Amino acid sequence: MCGIAGIFQSNPDNTIDPQLLVNMAAIQYHRGPDGFGYKVLQGQGVGFSHARLSIIDLDENRARQPFVSADDNLLLAHNGEFYDYKKLRANLTLDGARFSTKSDSELVLHLYPRYGLEDMLQHLRGEFAFALYDKTHDRLMLVRDRFGVKPLYWTETNGKIVFGSELKVVFADPDVDRKFNAQGVYHQLMQTMVPGTTAFENIHQVKPGYAVIIERNHGKFSVTEQRYWDMDFPLLEERKVNDSNDEDFYINGVKEKLLEAVQLRLEADVPVACYLSGGIDSCSILGMSAASQQSPVKAFTIGFDDSDYDETPIAREMAESVGADQDVMLLKANHLYDNFVETLWHTERTIYNTLGVAKLLMSRHVNKANYKVVVTGEGSDELFAGYPAFRRDMFLHGMDTLSAAERAEWEGMLAEANKLFKGAMLAEDEVSDAALNNVVGFTPSCLQPWLASAQHVPALLNKVLRDELKTYQPGEAIANALDGNMLEGRHPLDKAQYVWIKTMLEGQILTWGGDRVDMANSMEARPPFLDHHLAEFACQIPPSMRIKGKTEKYVLREAMKGVLPKTLYEREKFAFMAPPAHTDPEKWQAMKKLADEYLSDEAIDNAGLLDKEGVKALFALHESEDAPVSTQVQLDAIINHMIGVQVLHQHFIADNVPAKAQAKAHELGWQS
């Protein structure tokens, strides 16, 4: 797991400064502190660099990237892991391939010439982002894994393509403009990003399951996007075949495929640990990891000093049941804001809840315990319909046999079970968006809290931005970014899960809840639930077996029944969040201290993003005596976002990022 960077000139005769490539590696030192490499292809206008975290093939020189193929035709920089690499390497060796390293990354140099890009990608399994330059076809290919576990950004500027694993890597090139776009600021303040976008002008993401292919012709670039995978739920008429299988077929299938995914992710040349919360997802991963290893598994748990949000008692019960060596890091709620600014340097987007801070502190704790790899439970709720929003959409839109009275009863029970999170996980009041209704058939419950938050955004924006966005509809922008062909003719629960995967999973859970805060401390997180073989099987599970009656994740619960404590097996889904600011007077004061710095009149004027009076009015609304708790939960999130956009402005626009990158390279002694 590493960080990659590179430059592709439209004119092959233009030179590339090797030290700039090294600087781009240095500013993402946290992703790869075990060494760096760079390569410039003279006369080709192409240069890559790489910051390495050694996990597979620990030989520092042998596995140093970027890699060049034996025939000098291909240049590769890879971030992430390819699983099943030993089997693939053995088969390729039998076919005459000769490998110069034991690194899984080298597979690309042998698969691509044999199969071409599209067919090669079908052989790759795991979490990855890589850049591949093909000299023969004079093209650069930027590829991202199927769910977007690994990040990859790019831009076209001043006659060149600049790319990197993080935004700061792209911004390390002084030719790249660093400025927000209006729509980006809007979506930072309301939480939900438009799929495939960033908050910054002309800075793009490679979308999950896509390759961006950039060909060079007569000094100009031709850019195309090619999708190679998507979460393809069956059509309703195809579901009839799946419904004929009994529960055991799906329960046993999940057992088999999830166990395989876990065992593949335990493969490393360094020790592998587990993240453990009190949910069935991470507990299932720990149970299978413990069953697959001879020695006790190390399990790391985050605890909070607020019992309403703390899951350590159940996590302890799980750890004891499998003989895991558990390490609990107890966090004080008011301590989280002390690390808020640092966290945003790594997330490169705003965060609505300080869980992102807690996870950054946890990854630091794991790093100090001398672990580089953990397996995690992310992705389970997406595959098996675990979130309360899915249950709500299921009984509102996916169960025709429910009477109005039964729907009302279910709504009441769901609201009671999730009252701590109303305003964040569930909307305070129902929100209906015409554009989403048109594409999806209804407004997914997962988006409703953030669409409700959007009503506060215009008043928070600086007048220039507000005028530019006078007719802007955020729901329409999100709807337009969804592929209607993947929604048409699907069951409502399938639609709800698909929308979540395209918005909340990639834009939130795998970003400020995943890769960015883990790799901030050189720690690789591997989510077995997001193995695409398991995901393709999970797509086939009938909706009535994902949510059976009032039980969410039914098939997964039954599949994991043998490794889960009875308490956990019977427990209803509990969203894992840090306590919001309003729940603790000390945490509220810690947040206010940060707001006094970043939301002062002077700070707002300097950044030119927010409106001073709008910010003050929102705080007044939050602090009014008649504000319901659910409103405070919603406004807590918006306050975090307001502070967040100001912090992002300081980090990436006000500060001189190219100078920071150069200084970091000098500090590390990384020189070309």
Side-chain angles (χ1 to χ4, degrees), residues 245 254 316:
N245 294 314
V254 169
R316 282 197 178 97

Side-chain angles (χ1 to χ4, degrees), residues 23 27 167-173 178 345 650-663:
N23 295 349
I27 202 169
L167 286 166
K168 61 182 70 69
V169 179
V170 176
F171 289 151
D173 186 330
R178 307 190 312 277
W345 168 251
Q650 183 63 50
H651 279 327
F652 302 113
I653 296 175
D655 289 352
N656 188 332
V657 182
K660 275 188 172 182
Q662 187 173 29

Side-chain angles (χ1 to χ4, degrees), residues 375-389:
V375 286
T376 74
E378 277 85 15
S380 168
D381 290 309
E382 285 72 18
L383 298 191
F384 299 104
Y387 291 114

Side-chain angles (χ1 to χ4, degrees), residues 588-598:
W588 180 258
Q589 288 306 312
M591 181 277 294
K592 286 294 293 288
K593 182 180 178 182
L594 205 58
D596 288 343
E597 178 180 355
Y598 285 94

Side-chain angles (χ1 to χ4, degrees), residues 242-253:
N242 299 337
D243 290 345
S244 66
N245 294 314
D246 61 19
E247 287 184 3
D248 286 345
F249 172 83
Y250 294 107
I251 291 168
N252 291 330

Side-chain angles (χ1 to χ4, degrees), residues 431-444:
V431 177
S432 180
D433 183 273
L436 285 163
N437 291 344
N438 185 52
V439 173
V440 183
F442 55 93
T443 301

